[in-house]
Amino acid sequence: MPYRVPEAKRLRLIVDTDAANEADDQFAIAHALLTPRFDIRGLIGAHYGARDADSMERSCREIEKLLRLMRLDGRYAATPGAPAAMKSEREAIVSPGSDLIVREAMRDDDARPLFVIFLGPLTDLAAAYLSEPRIADRLTAVWIGGGTYPDGAAEFNAGNDIAAANVVLGSGIPLWQVPKNVYSMIRVSLAELAAKVRPQGELGRYLFEQLVDFNERWGDKPAWPKGEMWMLGDSPAVSLLLDDHAFEFDMRPAPRLRADGAYEHAADGGGRLIRVYRYVDARFTLEDMYAKLALFHEATKEG
């Protein structure tokens, strides 16, 4: 990048992603890897429910593919997360991914803040917390998931591990939640992506073409995808760490999730507070990603 971020303003970041689930994680992963403010400490492949029995392994392979396209495969590798959802709120599924979170959180040799962004279920964070509760005051989690407040509703990421979500919501871990009505604000048309992403070299072509391919594979479903647009719903996990939108969230008592994704609030309105976003700036999010893809393409052409 043609600028540097002062070291005191940088932060440590772990990305936990169900990268093979559909087509938007890839944009957020690339965006994070291209962001100088982040010191990437790991990328964890997450499961995405029962649709594919090997979903976690597929996510790891997708991460590795992106790393090769970005010529970063010698620097980073995909770390396997849990292969499936928790069976109960007491049964942690310990994995190399949850171990990575614990290990990085418990470091005493780096005072920079640690953020872990979750683009899918919270399985690996719940396992990390259950195995080492002291991580609760040593990291901040950003979660793309959960239904609209105050009632909640079925939502894909939450629904892929309700037990894990309840472990995290009931913990002391600082949590920034980006619910469905907010992450859905990152709307793009395929024409916009064709004009702004596809021309950006091998990486840009792959990001665009894998989304179009997914759109085609699901072409017989009338409701979703809609055919000529997409929601890059995972991307706020990146842009909110560039600017936390200080006036665009509410501190709310953490609910519990019912099996259907509805929120269950304490009768007295109490509970520990979490940050729940009500808005994210789509222009800021998308234009920063487009600019970094273009700058990366120019730099790799020159290199």
Side-chain angles (χ1 to χ4, degrees):
M1 292 294 163
Y3 60 91
R4 63 176 293 274
V5 176
E7 194 61 30
K9 297 181 182 296
R10 299 186 73 214
L11 53 86
R12 294 176 291 152
L13 182 69
I14 296 172
V15 180
D16 190 292
T17 167
D18 56 347
N21 169 48
E22 42 140 316
D24 61 333
D25 289 69
Q26 290 85 341
F27 289 83
I29 295 166
H31 193 179
L33 288 166
L34 292 174
T35 295
R37 190 181 191 205
F38 302 157
D39 178 4
I40 303 291
R41 305 305 303 169
L43 300 106
I44 300 170
H47 73 89
Y48 49 88
R51 189 172 80 228
D52 296 314
D54 60 344
S55 63
M56 179 273 290
E57 290 86 353
R58 290 177 184 237
S59 292
C60 286
R61 290 196 293 270
E62 187 66 16
I63 293 168
E64 298 283 4
K65 183 182 294 185
L66 283 168
L67 291 173
R68 288 193 298 273
L69 284 169
M70 299 177 74
R71 300 176 178 85
L72 293 172
D73 48 319
R75 183 173 178 182
Y76 304 111
T79 301
M86 295 172 62
K87 293 181 179 179
S88 79
E89 294 177 32
R90 296 180 299 278
E91 298 177 79
I93 304 178
V94 175
S95 67
S98 64
D99 287 343
L100 168 64
I101 294 170
V102 171
R103 186 167 61 251
E104 190 64 32
M106 297 307 295
R107 286 178 60 183
D108 290 322
D109 61 342
D110 194 332
R112 295 173 302 171
L114 172 63
F115 286 81
V116 189
I117 59 175
F118 292 86
L119 314 183
L122 288 168
T123 312
D124 299 319
L125 182 57
Y129 173 72
L130 290 172
S131 61
E132 178 48 271
R134 289 181 297 168
I135 69 169
D137 59 0
R138 301 176 73 97
L139 64 82
T140 298
V142 182
W143 181 38
I144 304 293
T148 304
Y149 278 77
D151 297 328
E155 189 275 329
F156 187 80
N157 290 342
N160 278 335
D161 200 335
I162 295 287
N166 281 329
V167 169
V168 173
L169 288 165
S171 74
I173 298 170
L175 178 64
W176 300 4
Q177 183 184 1
V178 185
K180 185 175 184 177
N181 60 306
V182 178
Y183 69 67
S184 298
M185 293 176 178
I186 312 299
R187 296 180 182 88
V188 292
S189 71
L190 297 191
E192 180 180 356
L193 295 177
K196 295 191 174 183
V197 173
R198 186 178 61 172
Q200 307 307 333
E202 190 178 13
L203 175 61
R205 280 194 304 276
Y206 177 71
L207 291 173
F208 177 76
E209 289 172 2
Q210 60 88 30
L211 188 150
V212 170
D213 289 346
F214 188 93
N215 200 40
E216 290 289 339
R217 290 199 306 274
W218 287 61
D220 60 341
K221 300 184 182 301
W224 183 87
K226 294 185 177 181
E228 202 176 344
M229 63 79 64
W230 208 269
M231 289 179 294
L232 298 184
D234 290 322
S235 294
V238 176
S239 62
L240 288 173
L241 294 182
L242 295 176
D243 178 84
D244 69 349
H245 293 38
F247 306 106
E248 304 297 349
F249 62 83
D250 299 306
M251 298 303 295
R252 289 179 172 269
R256 281 185 59 81
L257 286 181
R258 297 175 182 161
D260 62 358
Y263 294 135
E264 185 176 277
H265 301 280
D268 62 1
R272 69 106 168 193
L273 297 179
I274 61 172
R275 180 184 293 202
V276 178
Y277 278 90
R278 47 183 150 75
Y279 170 80
V280 65
D281 188 333
R283 188 213 64 82
F284 174 73
T285 302
L286 292 169
E287 290 296 340
D288 185 71
M289 180 187 71
Y290 297 151
K292 284 171 177 167
L293 288 171
L295 289 167
F296 177 72
H297 178 44
E298 285 301 312
T300 51
K301 278 198 307 184
E302 293 170 4

